[in-house]
Amino acid sequence: MTKWIRWSGLAGFIIVSALIVCFWLFAAGPLTKLAIESFGSRALGAKVDVADVSFGLNPMTITVSGVQLTDKDKPMENIVSFETAVANIEPFPLLLGKAIIPQLSLEGVATGTPRSESGAIKKTNKKQTEKSSSAHSKPAANDTSAEPKSQTLPSADEILERESLLTEQAGDAFEKAYESHSQNIEQSLANLPTEDSIKQYEVQLNKLLTGKFKNLEDFKQRKRELDALRNQFKQDKQAIADAKQAIAQGKSDMKEKFNALKAAPKQDLNNIKSKYTLDGAGASNLTALLFGEDAGGYAQTTLEYYEKVRPLLVDEATQAAKAELKAKRLEGRYVQFETDRPQPDFWVKTLTFTMSLPQVGQPAQSLGDVAVNVLDITHQQDVINRPTLVKGKGVNLRNIDSLTINGVLDHRTSPGKDSFTLEVQNWQLNKVKLGLAGLRMDNSVTDVSAKGVLIDGQLSASGQARFNQATFSSKDRTMLAKEMVAALKTIDTFVVNGRAKGPLTDPSMSINSDLDKQLNSAFDQRIAQKQQELENKIKAKLNDKLMSYAGDYQAQLKSLNLTEGNLASKGDALEKLGKQELSSYQDQLKAEAKAKADAEKARAKAKAKADAERKRKELERKAKEKLKDLF
Amino acid sequence: MLAMLAKLLKILNSDASPGQISLGFAFALFIGLTPFFSLHNLFIFLLVCLIRVNLGGFFFASAIFALLAFLLDPVSIAIGEQLLAHPDLQAVWTGMYQSDVWRAFKFNHTLLLGSVVLSCVLFIPVWIVFSILIKLYRSKLMAWFEKLKIVKFLKASKFYQAYERLGA
């Protein structure tokens, strides 16, 4: 039996295996670091930096430290960074190429941290880098410059600048029509006979019509010339008719477009009024003016982060592509059986981390931490048959009694459904700047409750914030600020409701509150006055725009009418010339015929007279002869 | 091709026993016919190293069987499909599927299971048949074979001599 055992072979196998394990221990760290940086950068579209990766064997762990994920829109900033991530890995599934991580803990998680060097993958424009760098290095300056913008209502110029105006559209249409018709009319006028050519026609016509025809050839020659002249008349008359038609069309079309242009400013004003809710109860949108900027900003930031993180959690496109690919290949397949130990390709069973909660309006200051626990992170939820759960809880909070965030990302069936809820209780809000008239909410105890659902890219979210024991102040000396502070003093509690609905990338957002009702009566007069002022300004600006388009339309209209009159007189002149030619020729023919007939008649008359005379003389002679016979 | 033939001659004409050579061929079934990067192949390598089989024969046959695998893969997949879908075996497979260790062996992969079963089925026949064939070759054909012109030509070739010098 011993002759069949090769101990040297066993030793060789052990040595080779040990070498492989050693290589794995020493080389796997740098190789994994390279892989994370390479694949991560490709997936994120911006640089992913990893300081170090190390492995442990018992239990099998991977420790990644100094991770920075660049914000691809701001290469000098990280979307997320963390100091260390420790992951336990199940060894056997790893042999199948499946990364099953029962526990992943992150420490030192931070968002929006600055980078020492640009994290852009492609070479960025130097100016852009400088811009983002300077933007980062001077946040205070930017903040102050941005502040007044949020504290003022949009001016008439700003509103007109950001809106798509019908006045401009109608003006452009009018200008284009004017240019087009002017060209047509000029072209038609160019084909018309001039005054000189009409005089020339008269001369030619007189020459042809005066004097008698010398002979038949002369008559024929004159007739040919007359026919040619008549053809010319016809062409000129046609040209005049065309020009008349072009002018008539131009006048009609321009009149129509001018009427549209005249009506456009009114429509624009109505549209702007309805959009900016200046009409009716002007204060009904006051909440949006007060809180809209901040609420919109937070929502935007949240959505940006969600959009960036979502593809990493749920990769439906890749899943579908993989399924298609597997179906095409003839390499065998895995047959799945019922199990309580499912194994997707990638699965983080539990991810825990803590991150700082920035204070509203003062990002540098922290309200405490949020301990986040994410369960079942995988892009193959159908394999584990469980959705990804997000649970966040406030810890060591200052000024907040409790904060809870819950999320469910369910993509087991298509389309997936992501839902989130947020609960904040007894949030002591202090010195919160509001977006209008230098207003500040000095104190308030606030309860916030919000929920949102995203299905197939369509967001539907709603939230409610109840502000209790609210006190307000304003540094502004304006009438509006004074009136607002006076009105707000009477208000102790109010509720703000927010809604967002529509595509995730561009949801329509609305905010309303019972604060509006409470303040409505106090501000009706003031808002109406401001509304009138703004309306007047917008009207004036729209009229300016109208005049810039319409310009000397009346003068142009007069000019066209004058041209039309000239055409009419030219047409009459040609008509007269044409008729004159026709009547003179006929007269001549008639005269000739009449002269001939008269001559014939005279000749016949003379002959009859001579015959009668001859007969009379004959009768006289006969009578004389008979008388002679009698006597 | 010539290299393969030379290698085969070298193995057949070596001092290794027919049983060791044919056992190498039999173990090569697993390496050649089943997917290479599989956990069971690690044990095959351990056995090949531990048991005194002819390594030359093992590697030679592995290459030959790997080529044969292109033809046999559809058969292996069909066997795997049949076995994994067999109603009587569902309890076994489901039980094994609960274990990470068994799953690491990819037993639920049709090609792998089919090819491993095929290799197991062919293991003993290949061992015995090739053992007999090698003995027959050595007793009856080797002398005649050595006299063949083609073999002489092959042995006289520079390639074979270099191959001999390298001791392969």
Side-chain angles (χ1 to χ4, degrees):
Chain A
M1 181 66 189
T2 50
K3 74 171 186 177
W4 283 93
I5 303 296
R6 183 163 46 197
W7 296 109
S8 58
L10 180 64
F13 183 82
I14 290 168
I15 289 167
V16 170
S17 301
L19 282 173
I20 290 170
V21 171
C22 288
F23 172 80
W24 188 76
L25 278 177
F26 290 106
L31 287 176
T32 310
K33 174 181 179 296
L34 201 68
I36 293 172
E37 287 181 338
S38 169
F39 290 111
S41 300
R42 216 181 298 162
L44 194 66
K47 218 171 175 183
V48 172
D49 292 314
V50 176
D52 186 45
V53 178
S54 60
F55 284 87
L57 279 180
N58 190 23
M60 188 175 274
T61 55
I62 176 170
T63 305
V64 185
S65 54
V67 177
Q68 296 184 339
L69 279 72
T70 309
D71 186 341
K72 71 174 177 182
D73 299 325
K74 298 172 193 168
M76 292 304 292
E77 214 171 85
N78 294 315
I79 310 174
V80 178
S81 61
F82 51 86
E83 287 166 11
T84 53
V86 182
N88 296 327
I89 304 172
E90 290 185 3
F92 286 108
L94 205 58
L95 293 171
L96 293 169
K98 294 171 187 287
I100 310 293
I101 300 165
Q103 175 71 42
L104 171 61
S105 305
L106 305 181
E107 283 179 18
V109 178
T111 57
T113 51
R115 291 178 60 87
S116 56
E117 58 179 27
S118 171
I121 290 177
K122 289 179 183 174
K123 282 186 179 176
T124 52
N125 191 335
K126 199 179 172 185
K127 280 182 183 175
Q128 281 181 338
T129 314
E130 282 171 1
K131 198 178 170 184
S132 62
S133 174
S134 62
H136 174 69
S137 61
K138 295 176 183 174
N142 277 351
D143 286 350
T144 47
S145 65
E147 205 169 80
K149 240 183 180 179
S150 65
Q151 285 191 348
T152 54
L153 281 167
S155 68
D157 283 332
E158 283 170 344
I159 290 173
L160 293 176
E161 181 70 27
R162 75 173 69 150
E163 291 303 315
S164 172
L165 295 173
L166 285 173
T167 307
E168 285 179 347
Q169 290 170 17
D172 289 342
F174 178 75
E175 274 187 348
K176 277 180 189 168
Y178 175 71
E179 279 173 21
S180 165
H181 288 303
S182 295
Q183 208 173 352
N184 285 344
I185 290 169
E186 275 175 26
Q187 206 171 346
S188 303
L189 291 177
N191 295 331
L192 291 180
T194 60
E195 294 293 339
D196 290 341
S197 56
I198 290 176
K199 280 179 186 169
Q200 187 66 32
Y201 291 156
E202 279 179 352
V203 172
Q204 284 180 343
L205 205 59
N206 285 334
K207 192 179 167 188
L208 287 173
L209 297 179
T210 53
K212 288 191 175 180
F213 307 118
K214 291 171 187 169
N215 49 35
L216 189 59
E217 193 56 39
D218 181 38
F219 172 75
K220 284 180 180 174
Q221 177 63 29
R222 286 193 191 192
K223 194 169 184 316
R224 274 198 296 274
E225 288 180 14
L226 201 58
D227 287 342
L229 209 55
R230 282 172 66 190
N231 283 337
Q232 186 63 44
F233 285 170
K234 270 186 186 173
Q235 285 177 10
D236 288 345
K237 277 165 80 178
Q238 188 58 45
I240 288 168
D242 290 345
K244 273 183 177 175
Q245 197 182 356
I247 288 172
Q249 275 181 354
K251 272 173 69 179
S252 165
D253 190 31
M254 282 168 67
K255 193 177 175 183
E256 191 184 320
K257 289 201 163 47
F258 184 70
N259 287 339
L261 179 59
K262 274 202 301 187
K266 197 176 175 183
Q267 286 179 26
D268 277 333
L269 189 63
N270 288 338
N271 290 343
I272 290 168
K273 276 167 71 178
S274 63
K275 187 162 185 180
Y276 288 84
T277 59
L278 298 172
D279 56 342
S284 65
N285 212 16
L286 186 66
T287 313
L289 288 174
L290 285 171
F291 299 99
E293 192 95 0
D294 278 347
Y298 290 141
Q300 190 62 36
T301 308
T302 308
L303 289 176
E304 278 174 11
Y305 274 99
Y306 178 78
E307 276 182 54
K308 280 166 184 167
V309 171
R310 191 171 178 272
L312 303 176
L313 294 175
V314 182
D315 194 357
E316 285 163 342
T318 311
Q319 210 172 329
K322 271 185 182 176
E324 195 183 346
L325 196 65
K326 272 185 182 174
K328 284 178 183 171
R329 293 176 64 177
L330 186 67
E331 290 187 347
R333 67 185 181 93
Y334 285 97
V335 178
Q336 311 293 339
F337 298 94
E338 279 185 22
T339 179
D340 54 353
R341 296 174 57 79
Q343 287 182 344
D345 292 340
F346 174 79
W347 183 15
V348 177
K349 291 182 179 176
T350 308
L351 164 67
T352 54
F353 63 90
T354 303
M355 62 185 296
S356 175
L357 186 67
Q359 193 160 340
V360 176
Q362 293 164 312
Q365 292 185 14
S366 171
L367 279 171
D369 295 328
V370 181
V372 182
N373 197 7
V374 189
L375 303 175
D376 300 319
I377 303 172
T378 177
H379 62 291
Q380 293 172 316
Q381 290 182 349
D382 54 324
V383 176
I384 62 169
N385 196 27
R386 281 207 293 269
T388 301
L389 301 177
V390 182
K391 293 177 181 177
K393 196 174 179 185
V395 289
N396 304 323
L397 295 173
R398 290 191 299 114
N399 301 330
I400 298 178
D401 279 5
S402 75
L403 182 147
T404 321
I405 302 164
N406 286 310
V408 180
L409 288 88
D410 193 347
H411 290 259
R412 286 173 289 179
T413 54
S414 187
K417 178 183 173 184
D418 300 338
S419 52
F420 293 92
T421 60
L422 167 72
E423 295 286 341
V424 182
Q425 286 185 341
N426 292 336
W427 183 2
Q428 303 276 346
L429 283 170
N430 297 319
K431 297 174 184 174
V432 178
K433 283 179 183 173
L434 302 176
L436 185 67
L439 271 173
R440 196 174 75 171
M441 188 159 64
D442 292 330
N443 289 297
S444 169
V445 178
T446 310
D447 294 330
V448 180
S449 168
K451 61 180 178 182
V453 178
L454 181 79
I455 300 171
D456 203 16
Q458 295 292 316
L459 177 71
S460 174
S462 62
Q464 188 183 73
R466 177 175 288 278
F467 295 81
N468 302 304
Q469 302 160 34
T471 57
F472 298 87
S473 66
S474 174
K475 286 179 183 173
D476 282 12
R477 299 286 177 195
T478 60
M479 182 66 75
L480 177 65
K482 286 176 184 173
E483 284 172 9
M484 282 191 82
V485 171
L488 287 166
K489 269 184 183 170
T490 62
I491 294 166
D492 178 62
T493 301
F494 63 95
V495 176
V496 175
N497 293 303
R499 277 186 183 282
K501 199 160 190 172
L504 177 66
T505 49
D506 186 24
S508 64
M509 298 177 74
S510 66
I511 297 174
N512 59 65
S513 167
D514 61 352
L515 182 66
D516 301 331
K517 286 178 189 169
Q518 296 184 51
L519 287 172
N520 201 12
S521 58
F523 287 109
D524 263 359
Q525 196 179 349
R526 179 63 186 165
I527 295 293
Q529 186 188 338
K530 290 297 288 179
Q531 171 191 351
Q532 196 53 50
E533 282 174 16
L534 194 58
E535 274 186 32
N536 289 340
K537 277 182 187 172
I538 291 172
K539 263 185 195 170
K541 299 269 178 194
L542 288 171
N543 279 334
D544 288 347
K545 276 188 188 291
L546 171 66
M547 287 313 294
S548 72
Y549 285 115
D552 49 355
Y553 171 69
Q554 296 302 337
Q556 289 160 3
L557 199 62
K558 272 184 188 173
S559 164
L560 284 178
N561 285 336
L562 199 64
T563 311
E564 211 172 17
N566 285 340
L567 285 180
S569 65
K570 275 184 185 177
D572 290 345
L574 281 175
E575 190 72 26
K576 198 175 167 187
L577 284 174
K579 277 181 182 171
Q580 185 186 352
E581 168 271 325
L582 195 63
S583 63
S584 297
Y585 182 61
Q586 283 175 341
D587 286 350
Q588 186 175 338
L589 288 176
K590 278 180 187 172
E592 282 176 358
K594 194 181 175 187
K596 202 175 177 182
D598 287 349
E600 285 289 329
K601 212 173 173 182
R603 271 202 301 273
K605 201 175 176 182
K607 193 182 174 185
K609 199 176 176 182
D611 286 345
E613 188 64 26
R614 187 174 53 80
K615 280 181 181 174
R616 187 181 62 82
K617 281 180 179 175
E618 186 63 28
L619 286 170
E620 275 181 1
R621 188 183 59 84
K622 281 179 180 175
K624 277 178 183 177
E625 281 176 358
K626 278 183 180 175
L627 284 171
K628 275 178 186 176
D629 291 337
L630 285 171
F631 297 102
Chain B
M1 190 66 196
L2 279 176
M4 297 281 274
L5 197 58
K7 198 170 183 178
L8 179 64
L9 285 175
K10 168 87 176 161
I11 292 163
L12 293 176
N13 299 342
S14 68
D15 293 334
S17 75
Q20 287 173 342
I21 296 170
S22 57
L23 189 59
F25 286 2
F27 276 122
L29 281 169
F30 291 94
I31 304 297
L33 296 186
T34 68
F36 183 76
F37 292 103
S38 304
L39 197 57
H40 69 269
N41 280 341
L42 197 65
F43 286 90
I44 298 298
F45 274 113
L46 174 63
L47 288 173
V48 167
C49 291
L50 186 63
I51 298 169
R52 201 174 289 279
V53 298
N54 184 275
L55 289 174
F58 171 73
F59 288 116
F60 170 78
S62 295
I64 298 296
F65 288 137
L67 292 172
L68 266 179
F70 284 100
L71 295 172
L72 291 174
D73 272 355
V75 179
S76 299
I77 289 171
I79 293 169
E81 289 278 1
Q82 286 286 326
L83 288 170
L84 288 169
H86 200 285
D88 294 344
L89 294 170
Q90 290 306 299
V92 178
W93 302 136
T94 307
M96 287 169 71
Y97 195 69
Q98 310 309 314
S99 161
D100 285 350
V101 179
W102 277 115
R103 266 202 253 178
F105 280 95
K106 301 182 191 173
F107 78 92
N108 59 328
H109 192 263
T110 53
L111 175 60
L112 191 130
L113 182 68
S115 57
V116 167
V117 168
L118 190 65
S119 303
C120 288
V121 168
L122 293 175
F123 186 85
I124 302 293
V126 165
W127 189 11
I128 294 169
V129 168
F130 275 96
S131 188
I132 293 167
L133 286 174
I134 292 166
K135 279 177 190 168
L136 279 174
Y137 166 79
R138 285 187 177 172
S139 62
K140 297 187 175 177
L141 289 174
M142 196 165 77
W144 172 79
F145 200 72
E146 292 268 332
K147 289 175 188 169
L148 282 177
K149 283 185 179 176
I150 179 75
V151 178
K152 283 181 180 173
F153 168 76
L154 204 62
K155 282 196 166 186
S157 69
K158 285 180 181 176
F159 177 81
Y160 188 84
Q161 284 167 8
Y163 191 75
E164 284 270 280
R165 276 199 299 277
L166 286 170

